Amino acid sequence: MHIEGEATLLRIFIGEADKHGHRALYDVLVEEARAAGLAGATALRGIQGFGPSARMHSSRVLDLSSDLPVLVEIVDEEAKVAAFVGRVTQLLEEAESGGLVTLEKAHVIRYLHGASANSD
């Protein structure tokens, strides 16, 4: 797959404790992105954050949270990302999860498979 130039960045902000059935919601989102043939997805764990409740979630030892913020990022062609947004909404509703979903324009400078990509 080759992507260069204009693309779309999909960001999904959820909590680490959010579940879809018995699985972590971020895990399901990444797997679904893969199944949809998107270029790639990354789940990142935040060290601190808050959402609509204004409750602070932190990885500091004194106030260790079991629900750290998680960000799932996906970049691909606009049409492919737009087609996937409906699935994201469905998964969040099934999980009865709050969250924030954003779309941004992205300019891809380099997206190439290296030698290790064949072993994925």
Side-chain angles (χ1 to χ4, degrees):
M1 179 182 296
H2 178 76
I3 301 172
E4 190 174 302
E6 295 307 310
T8 299
L9 168 61
L10 171 63
R11 286 187 169 150
I12 308 158
F13 298 81
I14 56 175
E16 186 176 28
D18 291 338
K19 302 285 185 207
H20 185 272
H22 65 281
R23 294 177 59 202
L25 180 57
Y26 64 85
D27 186 44
V28 174
L29 287 163
V30 170
E31 287 291 328
E32 290 284 331
R34 184 174 187 231
L38 293 164
T42 302
L44 306 161
R45 179 184 295 142
I47 60 171
Q48 187 171 15
F50 69 92
S53 70
R55 183 172 158 253
M56 191 64 71
H57 303 269
S58 175
S59 64
R60 289 183 289 195
V61 175
L62 293 177
D63 49 65
L64 189 61
S65 172
S66 60
D67 191 20
L68 293 172
V70 171
L71 170 61
V72 178
E73 291 193 330
I74 300 166
V75 177
D76 207 323
E77 298 167 348
E78 182 179 4
K80 291 177 77 175
V81 172
F84 188 65
V85 168
R87 182 64 179 137
V88 170
T89 301
Q90 180 182 15
L91 290 168
L92 291 174
E93 288 174 358
E94 290 171 0
E96 298 179 353
S97 172
L100 172 67
V101 179
T102 66
L103 289 173
E104 300 176 33
K105 291 183 180 195
H107 186 83
V108 176
I109 296 173
R110 184 170 193 245
Y111 178 74
L112 300 172
H113 291 284
S116 65
N118 296 329
S119 64
D120 286 349

